Amino acid sequence: MQTGRCLCGAVTYELAGDLIATAVCHCDHCQRQGGSAFSVNLIAHESQMTIHGELKAYEERGELGDQVYVRRRFCGTCGSPILSEITLSAGIIAVKAGTLDDKSAVNPNVEAWCVDKQPWVALPGMAVSMERE
Ligand SMILES: [Zn+2]
């Protein structure tokens, strides 16, 4: 069981069981939402996560018609990104690893959207590097 929270503490969560993967995402949208060069994501099933508190949502649509393809959920008080729902893969979520209470065991080995990767970023230990998702 892993626990986490937003910056202000209005939102807390528990994440149970084994992760599907731990993945770095270099996409431009993650860079903008996180204010950083990439995001670090705990890929899991929605049923593994229990959320306490209210999350706001920002829906990304348009890449494939008007369909929502990512629903980014964040604390409406402090703005911390908590998770993204990968709506094209029903029930799959990407929990933002920086919100964990204990981040010491996070060990990403997959990176996605390398097409947007910044030239000054080099990450060791990546078993899989994908140009896009
Ligand atoms: Zn908050």
Side-chain angles (χ1 to χ4, degrees):
M1 175 78 78
Q2 303 191 76
T3 60
R5 65 170 178 84
C6 67
L7 177 60
C8 75
V11 176
T12 61
Y13 66 83
E14 290 103 44
L15 189 59
D18 293 332
L19 300 172
I20 298 168
T22 301
V24 166
C25 184
H26 297 285
C27 87
D28 178 74
H29 294 190
C30 276
Q31 292 176 16
R32 292 183 192 282
Q33 190 198 27
S36 188
F38 53 84
S39 65
V40 183
N41 301 279
L42 312 170
I43 310 299
H45 296 280
E46 199 168 21
S47 58
Q48 292 174 249
M49 191 177 195
T50 305
I51 299 168
H52 310 277
E54 288 297 313
L55 289 171
K56 288 197 163 188
Y58 174 69
E59 294 184 334
E60 296 195 45
R61 58 179 82 221
E63 294 248 313
L64 301 158
D66 198 39
Q67 197 174 0
V68 175
Y69 62 95
V70 176
R71 184 176 294 112
R72 293 179 181 266
R73 302 184 64 194
F74 56 95
C75 174
T77 301
C78 68
S80 301
I82 303 294
L83 74 148
S84 293
E85 297 171 4
I86 315 301
T87 57
L88 296 182
S89 303
I92 301 298
I93 55 172
V95 182
K96 301 301 175 182
T99 62
L100 285 174
D101 292 325
D102 180 2
K103 296 173 263 282
S104 63
V106 175
N107 186 22
N109 59 1
V110 175
E111 59 183 350
W113 288 95
C114 293
V115 66
D116 291 338
K117 184 177 176 176
Q118 295 305 312
W120 42 269
V121 169
L123 299 170
M126 292 296 143
V128 178
S129 296
M130 295 178 283
E131 272 304 292
R132 295 171 71 80
E133 64 183 330

